[in-house]
Amino acid sequence: MNKYEQLDELIARCALKDQQAFRTIYDLTAPLLHSVVYPILRNKDMCYDVLQEAYLQIWKNSSQFSQNKGAALSWITSIARYRAYDRLEKEKHCVPLTPEFADSLINDEVAPHVKALWDEEQRAFQDCLLQLETKSRQIIQLAYLQGYSREMLANLYQTKINTMKSWLSRGVALLTQCIQSKRLER
C-alpha cells in the first residue's frame, strides 16, 4: 500500500477534529511539502512559517476536501504551494526567472533530497514525466517541482498565460493518464 493512499481517510478524520490523524498527515507529508515550498521561497525561516500556515489551513479546511475533485496529496501540496506564492507576493521576494536560470533548474532527474522521499508512486511519476515531450516536461518541472507561476512561465516561453495554462493542463492530463496505467500494472 502506498503511504499516501491513507491521506483521504486521514483528512476525513481531521474534519472530525482527530488530532492524531492530523499528526499522521504531518509526519507523512512534511518532508515532501518542505521540498515543494523551499525552492519557491529560498529562505529557511519563511519556508517554516509557510509550512505552519499550510498545515493550519489543511486542518481548518479538511471538511472541504473532496476525493471527487482530486487526490489528497495534490490538495495538500497545492495548499502549501499557494501559501508560498502568497508569501512571495507579500514579501516581494522572488528570484528573477531567466532562460539560463530555468535551464539550470531543469534536468531529467528530481533533486536527491526529494528522490529519497519517493516511494513507488513517486517513481511512477518520474518515469511518466520522462515520457513527456521536452517542453511539457520542462514546464511541469518548473511549475510543480520548482514552484514557478503560470505568469512566470508564460514570460519565459514568450506566450500568453492562457496558452501556458493549456500546455500545463495537457501535460498534467498525459502525466495522470500514464500514472494511472502504471497503477493498474501493479
Side-chain angles (χ1 to χ4, degrees):
M1 178 181 192
N2 177 327
K3 69 180 178 180
Y4 298 123
E5 288 178 9
Q6 61 183 311
L7 286 175
D8 291 338
E9 178 187 335
L10 291 168
I11 292 171
R13 288 176 35 206
C14 282
L16 300 173
K17 305 303 178 206
D18 181 334
Q19 292 180 1
Q20 183 57 45
F22 182 69
R23 177 68 187 177
T24 304
I25 289 173
Y26 177 84
D27 291 342
L28 285 173
T29 62
L32 178 64
L33 293 189
H34 183 275
S35 71
V36 168
V37 170
Y38 184 79
I40 296 170
L41 299 172
R42 290 183 170 69
N43 178 293
K44 184 179 173 183
D45 293 333
M46 280 198 306
C47 179
Y48 288 120
D49 288 346
V50 165
L51 288 174
Q52 183 177 4
E53 293 169 11
Y55 280 107
L56 183 60
Q57 187 174 349
I58 291 164
W59 174 256
K60 287 181 176 180
N61 296 340
S62 56
S63 63
Q64 297 173 8
F65 171 72
S66 170
Q67 294 176 2
N68 297 334
K69 293 182 181 178
L73 187 59
S74 297
W75 182 74
I76 289 170
T77 304
S78 293
I79 289 172
R81 284 183 65 241
Y82 286 118
R83 298 289 346 141
Y85 286 138
D86 290 346
R87 178 58 65 92
L88 274 181
E89 187 62 32
K90 182 179 175 184
E91 299 289 327
K92 302 287 186 206
H93 178 287
C94 185
V95 175
L97 181 62
T98 63
E100 296 78 24
F101 183 67
D103 287 342
S104 74
L105 295 173
I106 299 170
N107 59 46
D108 287 341
E109 294 196 61
V110 179
H113 70 281
V114 176
K115 192 172 184 177
L117 300 172
W118 285 6
D119 57 9
E120 194 172 314
E121 186 75 14
Q122 282 68 39
R123 284 190 296 280
F125 168 80
Q126 187 177 21
D127 291 344
C128 291
L129 185 63
L130 292 173
Q131 291 178 25
L132 295 176
E133 67 177 50
T134 303
K135 182 173 68 175
S136 289
R137 181 175 63 248
Q138 288 175 342
I139 63 172
I140 287 173
Q141 284 179 301
L142 288 170
Y144 298 107
L145 300 178
Q146 299 295 334
Y148 288 94
S149 69
R150 294 175 188 137
E151 293 80 8
M152 294 168 77
L153 291 169
N155 288 335
L156 175 67
Y157 284 88
Q158 298 178 345
T159 191
K160 296 178 181 175
I161 292 174
N162 285 339
T163 301
M164 184 54 62
K165 287 179 184 178
S166 295
W167 289 354
L168 281 167
S169 180
R170 280 193 297 267
V172 169
L174 289 170
L175 194 58
T176 302
Q177 184 179 23
C178 177
I179 291 169
Q180 288 173 345
S181 70
K182 286 191 177 289
R183 285 180 185 157
L184 293 174
E185 291 173 4
R186 289 188 223 152

